Amino acid sequence: MEETTVLTATPKKVKPLLDRSITTREVIFLLAVVFCLTPLITPPIALVMGLVVAQFIGHPYLHLNNKATHILLQVSVVGLGFGMNVTSALKAGREGILFTIVSITGTLVTGFLLGKFLKIEKKTSYLICAGTAICGGSAIAAISPVIKAEEKQISVALGTIFILNSIALFLFPAIGHALNLSETQFGLWCAIAIHDTSSVVGAAGRYGAHALEVATTVKLARALWIIPVAFLSTLIFKNKGGKIKIPYFIGLFVAAIVVNTYVPFVHKFSHYLTGFATAGLTLTLFLIGCGLSRKVLQSVGFKPLVQGIILWAIISVAALWAVTSLAQ
């Protein structure tokens, strides 16, 4: 009786879903998703697969992509916490705090001046600066409603950041090995110079387990700067009613580290949890690649991309000098 009521109440919504056959594009996409969840696919390969899908096949569920990557990234990062220890995490956090403060301040100031010089629209320039300074797409998503950015401005900023993220995933490990960086040095460098958490984890994970631990801890500590920067943004753009999104998942990440350190029972399952988290991050990079369609790439424009590249080059070189000179 209850089942009949549900079906007859929404026949127009249910029937098309039941009658519609799955398309070839959807089959290819879903098979790629399954492959990304296996150990056969590394984060860089997943990103390339996503780019291929975006350029030649098309994302069949593009309207859901942004929300899916957002949730999947947060869940995966929390899962990584079950493979970490409180003592080493605190050590990594202490090592990264000075780099974090200096680099965020320097990036925001340099980016502001660069945007003025290139005559880039103010809100677009600011979002690119915030994404480069803090944590890529997460910072842009958090700050855009505070400054009341338009969809076009958000798209340009996200496109710029994700293009550079894609390059960093391949470039950074190669440079790290060429310069014989230690895992601590590489982890710090990744956390400071690569924009998005997903690419930071992907690059650091390829370099080593300790590099991954350092990079993840420092990057998430860096992400907390979304809050003061968001408050600063309300003053700069005079939008007192702007809503600030606090990254609560960072608290869950810290809780996972604490549980893994002080609850021995969890050790039996921590290997599986971190394995699922790694697979989730690989899938996240695939979905990010799928979102970089030709339309997104074309919408970026020349000047914002130049601003992003110059800003990224400055912070990358400065951070590399800092970690090789000061970090052991």
Side-chain angles (χ1 to χ4, degrees), residues 138-151:
S138 299
I140 292 171
I143 290 173
S144 54
V146 175
I147 67 173
K148 297 181 180 178
E150 298 174 1
E151 185 178 346

Side-chain angles (χ1 to χ4, degrees), residues 88-106 133 184 187-189 191-192 214-226 228 322-323 326-327:
S88 56
L90 287 174
K91 184 175 182 292
R94 285 195 300 270
E95 290 175 342
I97 186 67
L98 179 61
F99 294 143
T100 296
I101 294 171
V102 173
S103 62
I104 288 177
T105 304
T184 298
L188 284 170
W189 186 41
I192 295 168
V214 171
T216 307
T217 305
V218 174
K219 190 63 179 180
L220 293 185
R222 191 182 185 85
L224 290 172
W225 281 76
I226 287 176
V323 299
L326 305 175

Side-chain angles (χ1 to χ4, degrees), residues 66 124 127-128 131 135-142 144 151-166 195-196 288 291-292 296-297 299-300 304:
N66 186 50
T124 302
L127 289 175
I128 292 172
C135 57
S138 299
I140 292 171
S144 54
E151 185 178 346
K152 172 72 174 177
Q153 296 163 334
I154 298 169
S155 297
V156 169
L158 285 173
T160 302
I161 294 300
F162 286 143
I163 289 169
L164 300 180
N165 268 329
S166 303
H195 315 74
D196 217 61
I288 287 173
L292 291 175
V296 171
L297 296 176
S299 71
V300 170

Side-chain angles (χ1 to χ4, degrees), residues 113-288:
L113 296 174
L114 196 56
K116 284 279 189 182
F117 177 75
L118 293 171
K119 297 180 180 178
I120 299 171
E121 189 278 323
K122 186 177 179 181
K123 290 184 180 179
T124 302
S125 175
Y126 189 77
L127 289 175
I128 292 172
C129 294
T132 304
I134 308 173
C135 57
S138 299
I140 292 171
I143 290 173
S144 54
V146 175
I147 67 173
K148 297 181 180 178
E150 298 174 1
E151 185 178 346
K152 172 72 174 177
Q153 296 163 334
I154 298 169
S155 297
V156 169
L158 285 173
T160 302
I161 294 300
F162 286 143
I163 289 169
L164 300 180
N165 268 329
S166 303
I167 296 170
L169 189 59
F170 295 94
L171 189 61
F172 272 57
I175 294 175
H177 286 299
L179 297 177
N180 292 317
L181 297 183
S182 68
E183 290 196 26
T184 298
Q185 290 174 328
F186 187 80
L188 284 170
W189 186 41
C190 274
I192 295 168
I194 300 180
H195 315 74
D196 217 61
T197 305
S198 55
S199 291
V200 169
V201 172
R206 292 177 62 197
Y207 208 80
H210 182 62
L212 176 62
E213 184 171 358
V214 171
T216 307
T217 305
V218 174
K219 190 63 179 180
L220 293 185
R222 191 182 185 85
L224 290 172
W225 281 76
I226 287 176
I227 301 169
V229 171
F231 279 114
L232 177 65
S233 304
T234 62
L235 299 176
I236 294 173
F237 291 89
K238 300 177 182 178
N239 294 328
K240 294 183 179 179
K243 186 178 179 182
I244 299 171
K245 294 182 179 179
I246 300 173
Y248 294 106
F249 78 99
I250 297 174
L252 295 177
F253 170 75
V254 173
I257 296 175
V258 172
V259 169
N260 185 62
T261 304
Y262 298 111
V263 183
F265 173 74
V266 176
H267 295 168
K268 297 179 181 179
F269 308 99
S270 59
H271 175 72
Y272 298 104
L273 292 170
T274 54
F276 287 135
T278 302
L281 286 163
T282 302
L283 180 57
T284 300
L285 286 165
F286 168 73
L287 294 175
I288 287 173

